[in-house]
């Protein structure tokens, strides 16, 4: 079992729809959870961090964390073509210590 | 504020040559990470430093790879001798480790091609 799992996609949504990206992780001691966006040929860019159970909203982005289910998600409201990218889930803390463990990423395509 | 600065942005060299990648972390950050990204293997952590000290180098693939951090504002990743399978994008990232795990911020990467 991979430590951080994501559906590779591609996930295709129409412009204006809600995109829902999901991630599960194996270490129950994980403490910090991050979503990075990576455009083709570019570096990963931090878009959300979440540390406690529940929802955290920032503009069109909402991160959701459920530690009991070892599940973290990212919702993108009013999706735009410019949101088309690979979204990487990353986890650290617990046995990972200060290391970030990344999922393989989900490719999101927003069609206009 | 300046982000993480990596050089060179692109490197093309022949098999067997020595390659040196450079990184300047964000000022004030005390943790530095080297990653490698390929289509097949995704983003892999090679090594990370905390307060200039290597903490975990378990991701370094072979003895051909070495990394140093002589001071808080500079790190190098060296491959000697280089091989075609080392071709990848190499990212450096930094963070401020203050108990609660802080997010890492990435440089633009070095695209390495070994012929």
């Amino acid at each position: 079992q991979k430590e951080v799992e994501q559906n590779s996609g591609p996930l295709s949504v129409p412009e204006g729809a809600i995109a829902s990206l999901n991630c599960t992780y194996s270490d129950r001691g994980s403490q910090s959870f991050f979503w990075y966006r990576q455009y083709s040929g570019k570096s990963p860019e931090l878009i959300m961090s979440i540390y406690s159970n529940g929802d955290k909203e920032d503009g069109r982005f909402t991160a959701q964390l459920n530690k009991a289910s070892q599940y973290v998600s990212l919702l993108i409201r009013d999706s735009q073509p410019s949101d088309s990218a690979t979204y990487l889930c990353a986890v650290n803390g617990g046995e990972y210590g200060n290391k970030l463990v990344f999922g393989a990423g989900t490719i999101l395509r927003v069609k206009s | 504020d300046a982000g993480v600065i990596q050089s060179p942005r692109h490197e093309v060299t022949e098999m067997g040559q020595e390659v040196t990648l450079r990184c300047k972390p964000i000022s004030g950050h005390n943790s530095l990470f080297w990653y490698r990204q390929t289509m097949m293997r995704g983003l892999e952590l090679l090594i990370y430093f905390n307060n200039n000290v290597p903490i975990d180098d378990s991701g370094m693939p072979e003895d051909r790879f070495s990394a140093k951090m002589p001071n808080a504002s500079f790190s190098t990743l060296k491959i000697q001798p280089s091989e075609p399978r080392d071709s990848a994008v190499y990212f450096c990232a930094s963070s401020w480790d203050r108990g609660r795990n802080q997010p890492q911020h990435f440089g633009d990467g070095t695209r390495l091609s070994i012929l």
Side-chain angles (χ1 to χ4, degrees):
Chain A
Q1 181 188 4
K2 293 183 180 178
E3 294 172 301
V4 178
E5 295 209 45
Q6 297 180 252
N7 188 320
S8 62
L11 172 66
S12 292
V13 300
E15 183 176 358
I18 295 175
S20 177
L21 305 163
N22 304 313
C23 172
T24 58
Y25 59 94
S26 60
D27 179 16
R28 284 195 170 275
S30 299
Q31 299 171 350
S32 305
F33 307 86
F34 307 98
W35 283 99
Y36 286 81
R37 177 177 61 200
Q38 187 174 24
Y39 292 114
S40 180
K42 300 295 185 182
S43 61
E45 173 193 11
L46 177 72
I47 55 172
M48 288 289 285
S49 58
I50 187 166
Y51 302 97
S52 52
N53 280 328
D55 295 359
K56 179 181 178 182
E57 186 175 317
D58 183 0
R60 295 186 297 112
F61 298 99
T62 298
Q64 299 175 316
L65 175 61
N66 184 325
K67 289 187 177 181
S69 300
Q70 296 174 243
Y71 178 91
V72 58
S73 65
L74 179 70
L75 301 178
I76 306 174
R77 290 181 299 281
D78 188 24
S79 295
Q80 301 297 309
S82 59
D83 295 326
S84 299
T86 297
Y87 289 81
L88 300 165
C89 172
V91 175
N92 70 358
E95 68 180 54
Y96 308 138
N98 200 27
K99 296 194 293 187
L100 267 183
V101 179
F102 282 87
T106 298
I107 298 170
L108 173 65
R109 293 180 181 157
V110 181
K111 298 184 176 181
S112 57
Chain B
D1 286 343
V4 176
I5 299 172
Q6 291 186 245
S7 64
R9 291 294 308 278
H10 303 274
E11 175 89 8
V12 180
T13 191
E14 292 188 345
M15 175 179 171
Q17 297 299 305
E18 178 178 291
V19 174
T20 299
L21 311 181
R22 298 173 176 79
C23 176
K24 176 179 169 57
I26 292 172
S27 178
H29 282 191
N30 63 348
S31 293
L32 183 140
F33 306 80
W34 282 102
Y35 291 88
R36 177 172 69 177
Q37 188 174 40
T38 61
M39 289 292 292
M40 289 296 293
R41 301 172 69 94
L43 199 56
E44 303 174 278
L45 177 66
L46 301 177
I47 185 171
Y48 84 91
F49 296 83
N50 185 258
N51 294 322
N52 311 338
V53 176
I55 302 300
D56 186 341
D57 65 355
S58 60
M60 296 285 262
E62 301 171 34
D63 291 345
R64 298 184 297 105
F65 287 70
S66 63
K68 293 182 179 180
M69 191 165 187
N71 58 61
S73 59
F74 184 67
S75 177
T76 59
L77 178 68
K78 188 172 293 188
I79 308 172
Q80 167 64 19
S82 57
E83 297 183 4
R85 60 194 167 118
D86 301 330
S87 298
V89 181
Y90 290 80
F91 290 108
C92 176
S94 70
S95 70
W96 171 230
D97 177 16
R98 51 183 177 188
R100 166 173 275 186
N101 300 123
Q102 298 301 308
Q104 296 174 20
H105 298 272
F106 284 74
D108 289 337
T110 295
R111 187 171 297 273
L112 178 63
S113 297
I114 308 296
L115 306 177

